[in-house]
Amino acid sequence: MIKQILPATLLTLLLTLLLGLGYPLAMTGIAGTLFPAQAHGSLIERNGQVVGSALIGQAFDKPEYFHPRPSATTAADPADATKTVPAPYNAANSMGSNASPSSKAYIESTQGLVDQLKAENPDARIPVPVDLVTASGSGLDPHVSPAAIEYQLPRVAKARHVAEAELRALVASRTEGRMFGILGEARLNVLKLNLALDQSWPQAK
């Protein structure tokens, strides 16, 4: 019996140290060396201050900025731990709404977002893009479609007193194509685009 237990115990300890400790540390070290920005959260800095991550959306509501897609993430209610409250782009609780397309509450909330967007963007020339009124599966998506940016472009150009053609050129330069030319769709990172806005036109007038 001892002859069987001892080798099994030693092998378990060895594999635990090798695969449970050594391998993760090695992969972390390699990732940190080869991909330092990505390994540390793809953080974005402005003037030496971290303003967000390229991987996580955040709220923008001023008219001079492009707005992201909605987020359905929540957090514990400070007043009642058994309940939750909306907490957009909460990276500690990635989730979608899980609402059925036939849900009356979901339809009403989506229609409310459509009405809000139309009021905020009276000069829009295209229909409301679907990604501006629906949350992503994670609730953290930092990207929107080119159509979502085009829909908002007249408002942002007017708020910044910038010609639409100039703003459209900036948008084109910041548009990310399909990965490897075949995966996904064209998209724009809202935080990066808004930072580029501030860099090109430092102060909204």
Side-chain angles (χ1 to χ4, degrees):
M1 179 68 72
I2 297 298
K3 290 182 179 181
Q4 294 175 330
I5 293 177
L6 186 58
T9 302
L10 292 175
L11 184 59
T12 299
L13 291 174
L14 178 62
L15 290 175
T16 298
L17 291 173
L18 182 63
L19 302 179
L21 186 62
Y23 178 76
L25 288 176
M27 291 299 101
T28 300
I30 292 172
T33 301
L34 298 180
F35 310 102
Q38 293 88 335
H40 292 89
S42 298
L43 301 179
I44 297 176
E45 294 185 1
R46 181 173 64 177
N47 301 326
Q49 298 291 324
V50 175
V51 295
S53 168
L55 304 176
I56 299 174
Q58 59 180 266
F60 287 93
D61 53 19
K62 293 182 178 179
E64 62 264 31
Y65 288 110
F66 289 103
H67 300 171
R69 68 186 305 176
S71 172
T73 59
T74 61
D77 187 343
D80 186 347
T82 65
K83 299 179 180 179
T84 59
V85 293
Y89 317 105
N90 178 12
N93 191 30
S94 172
M95 62 179 291
S97 68
N98 294 327
S100 166
S102 61
S103 165
K104 181 180 179 180
Y106 181 69
I107 293 172
E108 290 177 349
S109 66
T110 302
Q111 184 60 53
L113 290 173
V114 171
D115 295 341
Q116 179 182 336
L117 281 167
K118 288 182 176 179
E120 292 175 348
N121 300 273
D123 299 321
R125 301 181 183 89
I126 61 174
V128 176
V130 68
D131 53 327
L132 284 181
V133 294
T134 55
S136 65
S138 68
L140 307 177
D141 192 353
H143 297 92
V144 294
S145 66
I149 296 300
E150 178 62 30
Y151 183 84
Q152 302 177 73
L153 193 140
R155 184 200 76 231
V156 175
K158 183 177 181 180
R160 289 188 178 256
H161 293 265
V162 176
E164 288 189 22
E166 291 184 70
L167 186 51
R168 196 168 278 112
L170 176 68
V171 168
S173 70
R174 297 286 170 165
T175 302
E176 303 173 23
R178 292 181 174 184
M179 185 179 296
F180 308 124
I182 56 173
L183 299 178
E185 297 293 338
R187 62 204 180 279
L188 292 105
N189 186 294
V190 177
L191 173 58
K192 289 182 178 180
L193 180 58
N194 284 334
L195 290 176
L197 278 177
D198 284 341
Q199 184 176 13
S200 299
W201 300 282
Q203 292 183 352
K205 299 179 181 179

